[in-house]
PDB file of all heavy atoms in Angstrom:
ATOM      1  N   PHE A   1      41.946 -63.653 -40.955  1.00 95.00           N
ATOM      2  CA  PHE A   1      43.168 -62.875 -41.146  1.00 95.00           C
ATOM      3  C   PHE A   1      44.237 -63.202 -40.110  1.00 95.00           C
ATOM      4  O   PHE A   1      45.364 -62.724 -40.210  1.00 95.00           O
ATOM      5  CB  PHE A   1      42.852 -61.382 -41.127  1.00 95.00           C
ATOM      6  CG  PHE A   1      41.878 -60.967 -42.206  1.00 95.00           C
ATOM      7  CD1 PHE A   1      40.660 -60.377 -41.878  1.00 95.00           C
ATOM      8  CD2 PHE A   1      42.167 -61.179 -43.538  1.00 95.00           C
ATOM      9  CE1 PHE A   1      39.755 -60.005 -42.862  1.00 95.00           C
ATOM     10  CE2 PHE A   1      41.275 -60.815 -44.533  1.00 95.00           C
ATOM     11  CZ  PHE A   1      40.071 -60.217 -44.194  1.00 95.00           C
ATOM     12  N   GLN A   2      43.881 -63.938 -39.102  1.00 90.00           N
ATOM     13  CA  GLN A   2      44.794 -64.466 -38.095  1.00 90.00           C
ATOM     14  C   GLN A   2      45.739 -63.418 -37.548  1.00 90.00           C
ATOM     15  O   GLN A   2      45.323 -62.443 -36.952  1.00 90.00           O
ATOM     16  CB  GLN A   2      45.530 -65.679 -38.667  1.00 90.00           C
ATOM     17  CG  GLN A   2      44.592 -66.826 -39.024  1.00 90.00           C
ATOM     18  CD  GLN A   2      45.312 -68.059 -39.485  1.00 90.00           C
ATOM     19  OE1 GLN A   2      46.498 -68.232 -39.251  1.00 90.00           O
ATOM     20  NE2 GLN A   2      44.588 -68.945 -40.153  1.00 90.00           N
ATOM     21  N   SER A   3      47.048 -63.583 -37.774  1.00 88.00           N
ATOM     22  CA  SER A   3      48.021 -62.724 -37.094  1.00 88.00           C
ATOM     23  C   SER A   3      48.189 -61.356 -37.731  1.00 88.00           C
ATOM     24  O   SER A   3      48.805 -60.471 -37.148  1.00 88.00           O
ATOM     25  CB  SER A   3      49.383 -63.429 -37.041  1.00 88.00           C
ATOM     26  OG  SER A   3      49.829 -63.739 -38.346  1.00 88.00           O
ATOM     27  N   GLN A   4      47.649 -61.146 -38.944  1.00 93.00           N
ATOM     28  CA  GLN A   4      47.795 -59.842 -39.604  1.00 93.00           C
ATOM     29  C   GLN A   4      46.572 -58.973 -39.353  1.00 93.00           C
ATOM     30  O   GLN A   4      45.960 -58.444 -40.279  1.00 93.00           O
ATOM     31  CB  GLN A   4      48.019 -60.016 -41.109  1.00 93.00           C
ATOM     32  CG  GLN A   4      49.421 -60.390 -41.487  1.00 93.00           C
ATOM     33  CD  GLN A   4      49.663 -61.884 -41.436  1.00 93.00           C
ATOM     34  OE1 GLN A   4      48.743 -62.653 -41.534  1.00 93.00           O
ATOM     35  NE2 GLN A   4      50.910 -62.280 -41.268  1.00 93.00           N
ATOM     36  N   ILE A   5      46.220 -58.788 -38.092  1.00 94.00           N
ATOM     37  CA  ILE A   5      45.001 -58.050 -37.755  1.00 94.00           C
ATOM     38  C   ILE A   5      45.147 -57.511 -36.337  1.00 94.00           C
ATOM     39  O   ILE A   5      45.804 -58.117 -35.494  1.00 94.00           O
ATOM     40  CB  ILE A   5      43.752 -58.968 -37.870  1.00 94.00           C
ATOM     41  CG1 ILE A   5      42.460 -58.161 -37.986  1.00 94.00           C
ATOM     42  CG2 ILE A   5      43.688 -59.971 -36.750  1.00 94.00           C
ATOM     43  CD1 ILE A   5      42.163 -57.684 -39.373  1.00 94.00           C
ATOM     44  N   GLN A   6      44.561 -56.344 -36.077  1.00 94.00           N
ATOM     45  CA  GLN A   6      44.577 -55.811 -34.717  1.00 94.00           C
ATOM     46  C   GLN A   6      43.644 -56.605 -33.807  1.00 94.00           C
ATOM     47  O   GLN A   6      43.983 -56.922 -32.677  1.00 94.00           O
ATOM     48  CB  GLN A   6      44.122 -54.346 -34.724  1.00 94.00           C
ATOM     49  CG  GLN A   6      45.114 -53.383 -35.348  1.00 94.00           C
ATOM     50  CD  GLN A   6      46.310 -53.138 -34.476  1.00 94.00           C
ATOM     51  OE1 GLN A   6      47.287 -53.871 -34.570  1.00 94.00           O
ATOM     52  NE2 GLN A   6      46.268 -52.125 -33.642  1.00 94.00           N
ATOM     53  N   ASN A   7      42.450 -56.906 -34.340  1.00 94.00           N
ATOM     54  CA  ASN A   7      41.483 -57.693 -33.568  1.00 94.00           C
ATOM     55  C   ASN A   7      40.402 -58.207 -34.505  1.00 94.00           C
ATOM     56  O   ASN A   7      40.145 -57.619 -35.556  1.00 94.00           O
ATOM     57  CB  ASN A   7      40.842 -56.861 -32.452  1.00 94.00           C
ATOM     58  CG  ASN A   7      40.428 -57.722 -31.269  1.00 94.00           C
ATOM     59  OD1 ASN A   7      40.231 -58.919 -31.406  1.00 94.00           O
ATOM     60  ND2 ASN A   7      40.306 -57.103 -30.109  1.00 94.00           N
ATOM     61  N   SER A   8      39.784 -59.314 -34.126  1.00 96.00           N
ATOM     62  CA  SER A   8      38.692 -59.906 -34.896  1.00 96.00           C
ATOM     63  C   SER A   8      37.493 -60.123 -33.987  1.00 96.00           C
ATOM     64  O   SER A   8      37.644 -60.520 -32.829  1.00 96.00           O
ATOM     65  CB  SER A   8      39.118 -61.250 -35.504  1.00 96.00           C
ATOM     66  OG  SER A   8      40.142 -61.089 -36.450  1.00 96.00           O
ATOM     67  N   PHE A   9      36.308 -59.851 -34.526  1.00 97.00           N
ATOM     68  CA  PHE A   9      35.057 -60.054 -33.794  1.00 97.00           C
ATOM     69  C   PHE A   9      34.135 -60.917 -34.648  1.00 97.00           C
ATOM     70  O   PHE A   9      34.103 -60.778 -35.876  1.00 97.00           O
ATOM     71  CB  PHE A   9      34.370 -58.717 -33.511  1.00 97.00           C
ATOM     72  CG  PHE A   9      35.188 -57.757 -32.698  1.00 97.00           C
ATOM     73  CD1 PHE A   9      36.093 -56.891 -33.307  1.00 97.00           C
ATOM     74  CD2 PHE A   9      35.051 -57.705 -31.318  1.00 97.00           C
ATOM     75  CE1 PHE A   9      36.846 -56.000 -32.572  1.00 97.00           C
ATOM     76  CE2 PHE A   9      35.804 -56.817 -30.574  1.00 97.00           C
ATOM     77  CZ  PHE A   9      36.698 -55.952 -31.185  1.00 97.00           C
ATOM     78  N   ASN A  10      33.395 -61.812 -34.002  1.00 96.00           N
ATOM     79  CA  ASN A  10      32.388 -62.602 -34.701  1.00 96.00           C
ATOM     80  C   ASN A  10      31.026 -62.280 -34.115  1.00 96.00           C
ATOM     81  O   ASN A  10      30.745 -62.579 -32.961  1.00 96.00           O
ATOM     82  CB  ASN A  10      32.673 -64.102 -34.580  1.00 96.00           C
ATOM     83  CG  ASN A  10      31.766 -64.922 -35.472  1.00 96.00           C
ATOM     84  OD1 ASN A  10      31.499 -64.558 -36.618  1.00 96.00           O
ATOM     85  ND2 ASN A  10      31.279 -66.042 -34.959  1.00 96.00           N
ATOM     86  N   CYS A  11      30.194 -61.627 -34.915  1.00 95.00           N
ATOM     87  CA  CYS A  11      28.887 -61.157 -34.443  1.00 95.00           C
ATOM     88  C   CYS A  11      27.856 -62.275 -34.633  1.00 95.00           C
ATOM     89  O   CYS A  11      26.992 -62.216 -35.503  1.00 95.00           O
ATOM     90  CB  CYS A  11      28.493 -59.908 -35.214  1.00 95.00           C
ATOM     91  SG  CYS A  11      27.112 -59.011 -34.510  1.00 95.00           S
ATOM     92  N   ASP A  12      27.960 -63.310 -33.795  1.00 93.00           N
ATOM     93  CA  ASP A  12      27.104 -64.489 -33.938  1.00 93.00           C
ATOM     94  C   ASP A  12      25.870 -64.454 -33.046  1.00 93.00           C
ATOM     95  O   ASP A  12      25.203 -65.475 -32.859  1.00 93.00           O
ATOM     96  CB  ASP A  12      27.907 -65.757 -33.645  1.00 93.00           C
ATOM     97  CG  ASP A  12      28.574 -65.729 -32.279  1.00 93.00           C
ATOM     98  OD1 ASP A  12      28.447 -64.703 -31.580  1.00 93.00           O
ATOM     99  OD2 ASP A  12      29.231 -66.730 -31.924  1.00 93.00           O
ATOM    100  N   PHE A  13      25.541 -63.281 -32.529  1.00 94.00           N
ATOM    101  CA  PHE A  13      24.412 -63.172 -31.599  1.00 94.00           C
ATOM    102  C   PHE A  13      23.302 -62.267 -32.141  1.00 94.00           C
ATOM    103  O   PHE A  13      22.418 -61.842 -31.396  1.00 94.00           O
ATOM    104  CB  PHE A  13      24.895 -62.630 -30.247  1.00 94.00           C
ATOM    105  CG  PHE A  13      25.743 -61.389 -30.362  1.00 94.00           C
ATOM    106  CD1 PHE A  13      25.170 -60.138 -30.562  1.00 94.00           C
ATOM    107  CD2 PHE A  13      27.114 -61.474 -30.293  1.00 94.00           C
ATOM    108  CE1 PHE A  13      25.943 -59.008 -30.693  1.00 94.00           C
ATOM    109  CE2 PHE A  13      27.910 -60.343 -30.409  1.00 94.00           C
ATOM    110  CZ  PHE A  13      27.318 -59.108 -30.612  1.00 94.00           C
ATOM    111  N   LEU A  14      23.350 -61.946 -33.429  1.00 94.00           N
ATOM    112  CA  LEU A  14      22.376 -61.003 -33.982  1.00 94.00           C
ATOM    113  C   LEU A  14      20.931 -61.466 -33.804  1.00 94.00           C
ATOM    114  O   LEU A  14      20.023 -60.650 -33.717  1.00 94.00           O
ATOM    115  CB  LEU A  14      22.649 -60.779 -35.471  1.00 94.00           C
ATOM    116  CG  LEU A  14      23.808 -59.865 -35.852  1.00 94.00           C
ATOM    117  CD1 LEU A  14      23.851 -59.691 -37.358  1.00 94.00           C
ATOM    118  CD2 LEU A  14      23.702 -58.507 -35.175  1.00 94.00           C
ATOM    119  N   TYR A  15      20.719 -62.771 -33.763  1.00 93.00           N
ATOM    120  CA  TYR A  15      19.350 -63.286 -33.720  1.00 93.00           C
ATOM    121  C   TYR A  15      18.851 -63.479 -32.300  1.00 93.00           C
ATOM    122  O   TYR A  15      17.746 -63.969 -32.101  1.00 93.00           O
ATOM    123  CB  TYR A  15      19.274 -64.583 -34.536  1.00 93.00           C
ATOM    124  CG  TYR A  15      19.507 -64.315 -36.010  1.00 93.00           C
ATOM    125  CD1 TYR A  15      20.795 -64.270 -36.528  1.00 93.00           C
ATOM    126  CD2 TYR A  15      18.447 -64.026 -36.863  1.00 93.00           C
ATOM    127  CE1 TYR A  15      21.030 -63.973 -37.862  1.00 93.00           C
ATOM    128  CE2 TYR A  15      18.661 -63.726 -38.200  1.00 93.00           C
ATOM    129  CZ  TYR A  15      19.957 -63.697 -38.688  1.00 93.00           C
ATOM    130  OH  TYR A  15      20.169 -63.390 -40.005  1.00 93.00           O
ATOM    131  N   ASP A  16      19.659 -63.084 -31.310  1.00 94.00           N
ATOM    132  CA  ASP A  16      19.176 -63.080 -29.926  1.00 94.00           C
ATOM    133  C   ASP A  16      18.223 -61.910 -29.735  1.00 94.00           C
ATOM    134  O   ASP A  16      18.450 -60.815 -30.266  1.00 94.00           O
ATOM    135  CB  ASP A  16      20.348 -62.962 -28.949  1.00 94.00           C
ATOM    136  CG  ASP A  16      21.300 -64.148 -29.028  1.00 94.00           C
ATOM    137  OD1 ASP A  16      20.919 -65.150 -29.668  1.00 94.00           O
ATOM    138  OD2 ASP A  16      22.407 -64.064 -28.485  1.00 94.00           O
ATOM    139  N   GLN A  17      17.193 -62.109 -28.967  1.00 89.00           N
ATOM    140  CA  GLN A  17      16.128 -61.113 -28.838  1.00 89.00           C
ATOM    141  C   GLN A  17      16.618 -59.791 -28.251  1.00 89.00           C
ATOM    142  O   GLN A  17      16.234 -58.721 -28.702  1.00 89.00           O
ATOM    143  CB  GLN A  17      14.997 -61.679 -27.960  1.00 89.00           C
ATOM    144  CG  GLN A  17      13.800 -60.762 -27.790  1.00 89.00           C
ATOM    145  CD  GLN A  17      12.989 -60.615 -29.074  1.00 89.00           C
ATOM    146  OE1 GLN A  17      13.042 -61.499 -29.939  1.00 89.00           O
ATOM    147  NE2 GLN A  17      12.249 -59.522 -29.211  1.00 89.00           N
ATOM    148  N   ASP A  18      17.473 -59.858 -27.251  1.00 90.00           N
ATOM    149  CA  ASP A  18      17.881 -58.638 -26.545  1.00 90.00           C
ATOM    150  C   ASP A  18      19.397 -58.446 -26.591  1.00 90.00           C
ATOM    151  O   ASP A  18      20.054 -58.313 -25.563  1.00 90.00           O
ATOM    152  CB  ASP A  18      17.407 -58.693 -25.091  1.00 90.00           C
ATOM    153  CG  ASP A  18      15.904 -58.745 -24.983  1.00 90.00           C
ATOM    154  OD1 ASP A  18      15.242 -57.938 -25.658  1.00 90.00           O
ATOM    155  OD2 ASP A  18      15.383 -59.593 -24.238  1.00 90.00           O
ATOM    156  N   ALA A  19      19.949 -58.419 -27.792  1.00 94.00           N
ATOM    157  CA  ALA A  19      21.399 -58.333 -27.941  1.00 94.00           C
ATOM    158  C   ALA A  19      21.858 -56.989 -28.487  1.00 94.00           C
ATOM    159  O   ALA A  19      23.019 -56.828 -28.847  1.00 94.00           O
ATOM    160  CB  ALA A  19      21.892 -59.460 -28.849  1.00 94.00           C
ATOM    161  N   ALA A  20      20.964 -56.010 -28.558  1.00 94.00           N
ATOM    162  CA  ALA A  20      21.321 -54.722 -29.157  1.00 94.00           C
ATOM    163  C   ALA A  20      22.456 -54.042 -28.400  1.00 94.00           C
ATOM    164  O   ALA A  20      23.381 -53.484 -29.005  1.00 94.00           O
ATOM    165  CB  ALA A  20      20.099 -53.818 -29.225  1.00 94.00           C
ATOM    166  N   SER A  21      22.396 -54.076 -27.076  1.00 94.00           N
ATOM    167  CA  SER A  21      23.432 -53.431 -26.276  1.00 94.00           C
ATOM    168  C   SER A  21      24.787 -54.082 -26.520  1.00 94.00           C
ATOM    169  O   SER A  21      25.816 -53.408 -26.632  1.00 94.00           O
ATOM    170  CB  SER A  21      23.067 -53.494 -24.793  1.00 94.00           C
ATOM    171  OG  SER A  21      24.058 -52.880 -23.996  1.00 94.00           O
ATOM    172  N   MET A  22      24.795 -55.417 -26.620  1.00 95.00           N
ATOM    173  CA  MET A  22      26.032 -56.149 -26.886  1.00 95.00           C
ATOM    174  C   MET A  22      26.581 -55.793 -28.265  1.00 95.00           C
ATOM    175  O   MET A  22      27.795 -55.616 -28.442  1.00 95.00           O
ATOM    176  CB  MET A  22      25.763 -57.657 -26.796  1.00 95.00           C
ATOM    177  CG  MET A  22      27.006 -58.525 -26.848  1.00 95.00           C
ATOM    178  SD  MET A  22      26.605 -60.305 -26.905  1.00 95.00           S
ATOM    179  CE  MET A  22      25.526 -60.446 -25.477  1.00 95.00           C
ATOM    180  N   ALA A  23      25.683 -55.676 -29.254  1.00 96.00           N
ATOM    181  CA  ALA A  23      26.110 -55.336 -30.613  1.00 96.00           C
ATOM    182  C   ALA A  23      26.691 -53.927 -30.669  1.00 96.00           C
ATOM    183  O   ALA A  23      27.711 -53.685 -31.322  1.00 96.00           O
ATOM    184  CB  ALA A  23      24.923 -55.465 -31.567  1.00 96.00           C
ATOM    185  N   TYR A  24      26.034 -52.993 -29.979  1.00 95.00           N
ATOM    186  CA  TYR A  24      26.508 -51.607 -29.946  1.00 95.00           C
ATOM    187  C   TYR A  24      27.914 -51.537 -29.345  1.00 95.00           C
ATOM    188  O   TYR A  24      28.803 -50.861 -29.867  1.00 95.00           O
ATOM    189  CB  TYR A  24      25.540 -50.766 -29.125  1.00 95.00           C
ATOM    190  CG  TYR A  24      25.851 -49.289 -29.089  1.00 95.00           C
ATOM    191  CD1 TYR A  24      25.230 -48.417 -29.981  1.00 95.00           C
ATOM    192  CD2 TYR A  24      26.738 -48.766 -28.168  1.00 95.00           C
ATOM    193  CE1 TYR A  24      25.498 -47.050 -29.946  1.00 95.00           C
ATOM    194  CE2 TYR A  24      27.021 -47.402 -28.122  1.00 95.00           C
ATOM    195  CZ  TYR A  24      26.395 -46.555 -29.009  1.00 95.00           C
ATOM    196  OH  TYR A  24      26.667 -45.206 -28.972  1.00 95.00           O
ATOM    197  N   GLU A  25      28.117 -52.269 -28.258  1.00 95.00           N
ATOM    198  CA  GLU A  25      29.414 -52.256 -27.587  1.00 95.00           C
ATOM    199  C   GLU A  25      30.486 -52.891 -28.472  1.00 95.00           C
ATOM    200  O   GLU A  25      31.632 -52.436 -28.486  1.00 95.00           O
ATOM    201  CB  GLU A  25      29.319 -52.994 -26.256  1.00 95.00           C
ATOM    202  CG  GLU A  25      30.561 -52.854 -25.400  1.00 95.00           C
ATOM    203  CD  GLU A  25      30.368 -53.392 -24.000  1.00 95.00           C
ATOM    204  OE1 GLU A  25      29.221 -53.730 -23.643  1.00 95.00           O
ATOM    205  OE2 GLU A  25      31.363 -53.472 -23.268  1.00 95.00           O
ATOM    206  N   MET A  26      30.120 -53.955 -29.218  1.00 96.00           N
ATOM    207  CA  MET A  26      31.078 -54.564 -30.135  1.00 96.00           C
ATOM    208  C   MET A  26      31.522 -53.551 -31.186  1.00 96.00           C
ATOM    209  O   MET A  26      32.710 -53.451 -31.513  1.00 96.00           O
ATOM    210  CB  MET A  26      30.481 -55.791 -30.830  1.00 96.00           C
ATOM    211  CG  MET A  26      31.413 -56.403 -31.868  1.00 96.00           C
ATOM    212  SD  MET A  26      30.711 -57.829 -32.736  1.00 96.00           S
ATOM    213  CE  MET A  26      30.861 -59.083 -31.470  1.00 96.00           C
ATOM    214  N   GLY A  27      30.579 -52.781 -31.727  1.00 96.00           N
ATOM    215  CA  GLY A  27      30.918 -51.770 -32.724  1.00 96.00           C
ATOM    216  C   GLY A  27      31.854 -50.720 -32.186  1.00 96.00           C
ATOM    217  O   GLY A  27      32.855 -50.365 -32.827  1.00 96.00           O
ATOM    218  N   SER A  28      31.567 -50.214 -31.008  1.00 94.00           N
ATOM    219  CA  SER A  28      32.425 -49.178 -30.424  1.00 94.00           C
ATOM    220  C   SER A  28      33.798 -49.737 -30.074  1.00 94.00           C
ATOM    221  O   SER A  28      34.821 -49.063 -30.271  1.00 94.00           O
ATOM    222  CB  SER A  28      31.751 -48.562 -29.187  1.00 94.00           C
ATOM    223  OG  SER A  28      31.552 -49.529 -28.176  1.00 94.00           O
ATOM    224  N   ASN A  29      33.844 -50.977 -29.583  1.00 94.00           N
ATOM    225  CA  ASN A  29      35.136 -51.590 -29.253  1.00 94.00           C
ATOM    226  C   ASN A  29      35.975 -51.856 -30.496  1.00 94.00           C
ATOM    227  O   ASN A  29      37.205 -51.793 -30.455  1.00 94.00           O
ATOM    228  CB  ASN A  29      34.923 -52.904 -28.496  1.00 94.00           C
ATOM    229  CG  ASN A  29      34.487 -52.684 -27.061  1.00 94.00           C
ATOM    230  OD1 ASN A  29      34.712 -51.620 -26.490  1.00 94.00           O
ATOM    231  ND2 ASN A  29      33.856 -53.676 -26.463  1.00 94.00           N
ATOM    232  N   ALA A  30      35.296 -52.164 -31.618  1.00 95.00           N
ATOM    233  CA  ALA A  30      36.026 -52.419 -32.855  1.00 95.00           C
ATOM    234  C   ALA A  30      36.791 -51.186 -33.296  1.00 95.00           C
ATOM    235  O   ALA A  30      37.957 -51.271 -33.709  1.00 95.00           O
ATOM    236  CB  ALA A  30      35.059 -52.867 -33.945  1.00 95.00           C
ATOM    237  N   ILE A  31      36.167 -50.023 -33.204  1.00 94.00           N
ATOM    238  CA  ILE A  31      36.842 -48.785 -33.603  1.00 94.00           C
ATOM    239  C   ILE A  31      37.962 -48.449 -32.626  1.00 94.00           C
ATOM    240  O   ILE A  31      39.028 -47.967 -33.025  1.00 94.00           O
ATOM    241  CB  ILE A  31      35.841 -47.620 -33.695  1.00 94.00           C
ATOM    242  CG1 ILE A  31      34.784 -47.909 -34.756  1.00 94.00           C
ATOM    243  CG2 ILE A  31      36.566 -46.322 -34.011  1.00 94.00           C
ATOM    244  CD1 ILE A  31      35.303 -47.964 -36.166  1.00 94.00           C
ATOM    245  N   VAL A  32      37.752 -48.705 -31.348  1.00 92.00           N
ATOM    246  CA  VAL A  32      38.794 -48.452 -30.356  1.00 92.00           C
ATOM    247  C   VAL A  32      40.020 -49.302 -30.663  1.00 92.00           C
ATOM    248  O   VAL A  32      41.162 -48.831 -30.624  1.00 92.00           O
ATOM    249  CB  VAL A  32      38.278 -48.740 -28.931  1.00 92.00           C
ATOM    250  CG1 VAL A  32      39.428 -48.726 -27.935  1.00 92.00           C
ATOM    251  CG2 VAL A  32      37.235 -47.702 -28.530  1.00 92.00           C
ATOM    252  N   ASN A  33      39.803 -50.590 -30.989  1.00 89.00           N
ATOM    253  CA  ASN A  33      40.915 -51.467 -31.365  1.00 89.00           C
ATOM    254  C   ASN A  33      41.566 -51.006 -32.654  1.00 89.00           C
ATOM    255  O   ASN A  33      42.772 -51.128 -32.843  1.00 89.00           O
ATOM    256  CB  ASN A  33      40.421 -52.905 -31.532  1.00 89.00           C
ATOM    257  CG  ASN A  33      40.276 -53.639 -30.207  1.00 89.00           C
ATOM    258  OD1 ASN A  33      41.171 -54.356 -29.783  1.00 89.00           O
ATOM    259  ND2 ASN A  33      39.149 -53.444 -29.547  1.00 89.00           N
ATOM    260  N   ASN A  34      40.733 -50.492 -33.559  1.00 85.00           N
ATOM    261  CA  ASN A  34      41.174 -50.045 -34.875  1.00 85.00           C
ATOM    262  C   ASN A  34      42.106 -48.848 -34.795  1.00 85.00           C
ATOM    263  O   ASN A  34      43.027 -48.705 -35.586  1.00 85.00           O
ATOM    264  CB  ASN A  34      39.925 -49.702 -35.691  1.00 85.00           C
ATOM    265  CG  ASN A  34      40.209 -49.548 -37.164  1.00 85.00           C
ATOM    266  OD1 ASN A  34      39.919 -48.513 -37.721  1.00 85.00           O
ATOM    267  ND2 ASN A  34      40.750 -50.565 -37.787  1.00 85.00           N
ATOM    268  N   SER A  35      41.868 -47.978 -33.816  1.00 78.00           N
ATOM    269  CA  SER A  35      42.638 -46.735 -33.694  1.00 78.00           C
ATOM    270  C   SER A  35      43.322 -46.650 -32.336  1.00 78.00           C
ATOM    271  O   SER A  35      43.296 -45.623 -31.684  1.00 78.00           O
ATOM    272  CB  SER A  35      41.708 -45.528 -33.893  1.00 78.00           C
ATOM    273  OG  SER A  35      40.620 -45.588 -32.995  1.00 78.00           O
ATOM    274  N   ALA A  36      43.906 -47.768 -31.927  1.00 72.00           N
ATOM    275  CA  ALA A  36      44.629 -47.812 -30.662  1.00 72.00           C
ATOM    276  C   ALA A  36      45.948 -47.060 -30.810  1.00 72.00           C
ATOM    277  O   ALA A  36      46.159 -46.325 -31.766  1.00 72.00           O
ATOM    278  CB  ALA A  36      44.860 -49.265 -30.243  1.00 72.00           C
ATOM    279  N   ILE A  37      46.853 -47.254 -29.849  1.00 73.00           N
ATOM    280  CA  ILE A  37      48.145 -46.566 -29.908  1.00 73.00           C
ATOM    281  C   ILE A  37      48.832 -46.843 -31.236  1.00 73.00           C
ATOM    282  O   ILE A  37      49.416 -45.964 -31.860  1.00 73.00           O
ATOM    283  CB  ILE A  37      49.026 -47.021 -28.724  1.00 73.00           C
ATOM    284  CG1 ILE A  37      48.389 -46.588 -27.401  1.00 73.00           C
ATOM    285  CG2 ILE A  37      50.426 -46.433 -28.850  1.00 73.00           C
ATOM    286  CD1 ILE A  37      49.115 -47.083 -26.181  1.00 73.00           C
ATOM    287  N   VAL A  38      48.742 -48.091 -31.683  1.00 80.00           N
ATOM    288  CA  VAL A  38      49.215 -48.462 -33.015  1.00 80.00           C
ATOM    289  C   VAL A  38      47.992 -48.788 -33.862  1.00 80.00           C
ATOM    290  O   VAL A  38      47.247 -49.722 -33.570  1.00 80.00           O
ATOM    291  CB  VAL A  38      50.158 -49.685 -32.952  1.00 80.00           C
ATOM    292  CG1 VAL A  38      50.572 -50.103 -34.355  1.00 80.00           C
ATOM    293  CG2 VAL A  38      51.389 -49.365 -32.108  1.00 80.00           C
ATOM    294  N   ASN A  39      47.745 -47.995 -34.904  1.00 90.00           N
ATOM    295  CA  ASN A  39      46.592 -48.228 -35.768  1.00 90.00           C
ATOM    296  C   ASN A  39      46.761 -49.524 -36.549  1.00 90.00           C
ATOM    297  O   ASN A  39      47.862 -50.033 -36.715  1.00 90.00           O
ATOM    298  CB  ASN A  39      46.420 -47.071 -36.756  1.00 90.00           C
ATOM    299  CG  ASN A  39      46.019 -45.778 -36.074  1.00 90.00           C
ATOM    300  OD1 ASN A  39      45.507 -45.780 -34.968  1.00 90.00           O
ATOM    301  ND2 ASN A  39      46.259 -44.662 -36.739  1.00 90.00           N
ATOM    302  N   GLY A  40      45.635 -50.024 -37.076  1.00 94.00           N
ATOM    303  CA  GLY A  40      45.704 -51.228 -37.886  1.00 94.00           C
ATOM    304  C   GLY A  40      44.321 -51.727 -38.245  1.00 94.00           C
ATOM    305  O   GLY A  40      43.311 -51.142 -37.853  1.00 94.00           O
ATOM    306  N   PRO A  41      44.245 -52.824 -39.005  1.00 96.00           N
ATOM    307  CA  PRO A  41      42.953 -53.341 -39.463  1.00 96.00           C
ATOM    308  C   PRO A  41      42.216 -54.123 -38.388  1.00 96.00           C
ATOM    309  O   PRO A  41      42.826 -54.754 -37.523  1.00 96.00           O
ATOM    310  CB  PRO A  41      43.346 -54.263 -40.631  1.00 96.00           C
ATOM    311  CG  PRO A  41      44.717 -54.744 -40.258  1.00 96.00           C
ATOM    312  CD  PRO A  41      45.376 -53.593 -39.546  1.00 96.00           C
ATOM    313  N   VAL A  42      40.891 -54.076 -38.463  1.00 97.00           N
ATOM    314  CA  VAL A  42      40.009 -54.844 -37.579  1.00 97.00           C
ATOM    315  C   VAL A  42      38.944 -55.510 -38.452  1.00 97.00           C
ATOM    316  O   VAL A  42      38.472 -54.930 -39.424  1.00 97.00           O
ATOM    317  CB  VAL A  42      39.357 -53.942 -36.503  1.00 97.00           C
ATOM    318  CG1 VAL A  42      38.217 -54.672 -35.784  1.00 97.00           C
ATOM    319  CG2 VAL A  42      40.396 -53.492 -35.487  1.00 97.00           C
ATOM    320  N   HIS A  43      38.567 -56.725 -38.094  1.00 97.00           N
ATOM    321  CA  HIS A  43      37.582 -57.495 -38.861  1.00 97.00           C
ATOM    322  C   HIS A  43      36.375 -57.818 -37.989  1.00 97.00           C
ATOM    323  O   HIS A  43      36.524 -58.318 -36.873  1.00 97.00           O
ATOM    324  CB  HIS A  43      38.220 -58.791 -39.367  1.00 97.00           C
ATOM    325  CG  HIS A  43      37.289 -59.691 -40.103  1.00 97.00           C
ATOM    326  ND1 HIS A  43      37.392 -61.069 -40.080  1.00 97.00           N
ATOM    327  CD2 HIS A  43      36.214 -59.412 -40.892  1.00 97.00           C
ATOM    328  CE1 HIS A  43      36.451 -61.601 -40.823  1.00 97.00           C
ATOM    329  NE2 HIS A  43      35.719 -60.612 -41.321  1.00 97.00           N
ATOM    330  N   ILE A  44      35.184 -57.513 -38.495  1.00 98.00           N
ATOM    331  CA  ILE A  44      33.935 -57.957 -37.853  1.00 98.00           C
ATOM    332  C   ILE A  44      33.234 -58.895 -38.819  1.00 98.00           C
ATOM    333  O   ILE A  44      32.836 -58.490 -39.916  1.00 98.00           O
ATOM    334  CB  ILE A  44      33.000 -56.780 -37.497  1.00 98.00           C
ATOM    335  CG1 ILE A  44      33.708 -55.775 -36.587  1.00 98.00           C
ATOM    336  CG2 ILE A  44      31.736 -57.303 -36.821  1.00 98.00           C
ATOM    337  CD1 ILE A  44      32.835 -54.585 -36.198  1.00 98.00           C
TER     338      ILE A  44
END
């Protein structure tokens, strides 16, 4: 989506053995970006 997006995340670490904490933080950060001062779309 390039420039028409608030932020983009690529969850390419799902198959790492101990990446749950990183995945959880990505999810929470996605919503924070999604509902920042100016709302808008976010892509994971």
Side-chain angles (χ1 to χ4, degrees):
F1 300 120
Q2 298 185 18
S3 58
Q4 281 86 23
I5 199 82
Q6 290 287 89
N7 209 338
S8 295
F9 300 87
N10 189 41
C11 193
D12 55 358
F13 50 79
L14 283 184
Y15 294 86
D16 297 348
Q17 182 70 24
D18 297 312
S21 180
M22 189 186 307
Y24 184 95
E25 189 170 352
M26 176 182 284
S28 62
N29 286 338
I31 298 294
V32 170
N33 279 264
N34 194 237
S35 55
I37 296 175
V38 177
N39 292 339
V42 168
H43 177 212
I44 303 180

